[in-house]
Amino acid sequence: MRIVVLAGGIGGARFLRGLKQAVGPEADITVIGNTGDDIHLFGLKVCPDLDTVMYTLGGGIHEEQGWGRSDESFAVKEELKAYGVGPEWFGLGDRDFATHIVRTQMLGAGYPLSAVTEALCDRWQPGVRLLPMSDDRVETHVLINQDGEKKAVHFQEFWVKLHATVPAEAIIPVGAESAAPAPGVLEAIAAADVIILPPSNPVVSVGTILAVPGIRAAVAKAAAPVVGLSPIIGGAPVRGMADKVLAAVGVETSAAGVALHYGGRAAGPDGTAGTGLLDGWLVDTSDAAAVAGVESAGIVCRAVPLWMTDVDTSAEMARAALALAEEVRRA
Ligand code: GDP
Ligand code: CA
């Protein structure tokens, strides 16, 4: 079975670890990773979401933190600080630095990001094919209103430095409109048996991937069923600050709000044709009251436990998503 997953960082990676356990080694999983979070620091190209997926699936992740390397040390960061060289707010550890050095060196030698990612994965053996959404530079910027002064900052500055405490008025995937999907992305979507939107951030992870011209249309017209899992439980993000970016794009922070934001592919019960992406949607059992509203938009909806407390619970979520995909598969 060919499975395609559009993934951000922590939520996507943890779901993928469960999916791998659920389907076993014979399934063919392609991950289309968000690169809108990418940032240049100290002359190095850092790809936080690709690395979170690679480290999580390859056994190198800092388990409690959910990002960065396990057994990490920070000697380089301390030395940079001694030189007065920042930023200090972005935590890059010594082991992690090596990844960014290899990546930057290969990019400098002319390899596209997709080839670099494949080379990095040679070491980590994540057990999935990890493709960046695009080889072209796309950078998510956030228009903030800081004490009446409007300015655009890099997503990482908004998220990591400001902890999303400043009101966001718009989210702009700079460069997306002229970016092309990376080699293999559209082909994987077209050839998929199942397409999954994991519990990743719908705006700055999945939304950014969908902003690359051609990707949204490919998902919308794919032969495979498209199912998603809510990253919102009980009106709040499970971890992180997704509510801040959902508000910036005018979407209610709820399991149903995110489903309606993605939209339904099928015609609704009222006969209207869907213009969205989803055939099926999973909400947490505590959000069972949201099921009817989602279904009235033509999206088949089920309530199951959606807390990824460990690999087994994530695998159970993956099985529920695959079962829902079979249920909504078109004849
Ligand atoms: P990021 O790039 O590291 O922010 O990671 P993602 O975009 O892949 O995922 C972030 C989203 O994952 C957040 O909106 C969280 O609400 C969601 N999330 C994290 N852990 C869980 C979980 O255990 N269950 C569910 N349903 N969502 C989760
Ligand atoms: Ca991210």
Side-chain angles (χ1 to χ4, degrees):
M1 184 164 50
R2 284 161 300 193
I3 306 172
V4 168
V5 181
L6 274 53
I10 300 179
R14 291 195 170 161
F15 174 79
L16 283 162
R17 194 158 58 175
L19 178 66
K20 268 177 62 185
Q21 179 177 304
V23 297
E26 63 285 349
D28 166 347
I29 304 173
T30 298
V31 179
I32 300 171
N34 172 41
T35 57
D37 292 14
D38 294 5
I39 186 167
H40 286 80
L41 295 167
F42 315 109
L44 301 174
K45 166 94 162 172
V46 180
C47 301
D49 285 1
L50 294 180
D51 289 349
T52 295
V53 171
M54 183 173 79
Y55 293 156
T56 301
L57 300 184
I61 198 76
H62 185 301
E63 200 53 57
E64 296 72 42
Q65 198 167 256
W67 53 270
R69 288 292 314 278
S70 53
D71 299 319
E72 191 56 289
S73 54
F74 291 88
V76 174
K77 193 175 184 220
E78 291 303 315
E79 291 295 313
L80 288 166
K81 189 179 169 187
Y83 284 111
V85 174
E88 277 175 44
W89 49 266
F90 202 92
L92 291 182
D94 300 332
R95 293 180 187 278
D96 201 19
F97 258 115
T99 303
H100 312 314
I101 291 169
V102 174
R103 173 183 292 123
T104 307
Q105 191 173 322
M106 285 190 73
L107 289 169
Y111 291 96
L113 183 62
S114 49
V116 174
T117 304
E118 193 180 341
L120 294 171
C121 286
D122 261 350
R123 170 185 174 193
W124 289 103
Q125 296 292 316
V128 300
R129 189 158 74 117
L130 177 59
L131 302 177
M133 64 191 198
S134 177
D135 280 334
D136 301 319
R137 184 167 169 177
V138 178
E139 231 172 59
T140 304
H141 287 207
V142 182
L143 180 65
I144 60 170
N145 190 333
Q146 207 162 20
D147 306 321
E149 190 207 339
K150 288 191 189 202
K151 62 173 179 173
V153 296
H154 191 286
F155 170 73
Q156 298 296 356
E157 186 171 345
F158 172 73
W159 202 252
V160 181
K161 184 182 180 193
L162 301 171
H163 302 289
T165 49
V166 176
E169 300 196 342
I171 312 289
I172 309 128
V174 178
E177 68 289 344
S178 54
V185 166
L186 297 182
E187 294 81 352
I189 293 169
D193 297 310
V194 177
I195 298 171
I196 302 179
L197 306 186
S200 280
N201 189 306
V203 181
V204 292
S205 292
V206 179
T208 310
I209 299 170
L210 294 170
V212 176
I215 297 186
R216 174 184 286 275
V219 172
K221 70 165 200 267
V226 181
V227 297
L229 300 93
S230 179
I232 305 297
I233 298 180
V238 176
R239 40 160 63 225
M241 304 157 283
D243 49 327
K244 302 297 187 337
V245 289
L246 282 165
V249 298
V251 175
E252 182 191 89
T253 301
S254 69
V258 176
L260 301 182
H261 172 61
Y262 285 136
R265 288 214 298 178
D270 57 354
T272 51
T275 55
L277 299 175
L278 295 172
D279 297 306
W281 185 245
L282 294 177
V283 302
D284 184 65
T285 41
S286 64
D287 286 321
V291 168
V294 174
E295 294 213 317
S296 68
I299 302 164
V300 178
C301 187
R302 301 284 175 262
V304 299
L306 288 189
W307 284 89
M308 297 189 284
T309 42
D310 55 28
V311 183
D312 289 344
T313 56
S314 310
E316 202 49 53
M317 282 165 56
R319 277 189 281 272
L322 294 171
L324 181 59
E326 290 318 312
E327 199 181 318
V328 299
R329 189 181 295 282
R330 296 156 193 198

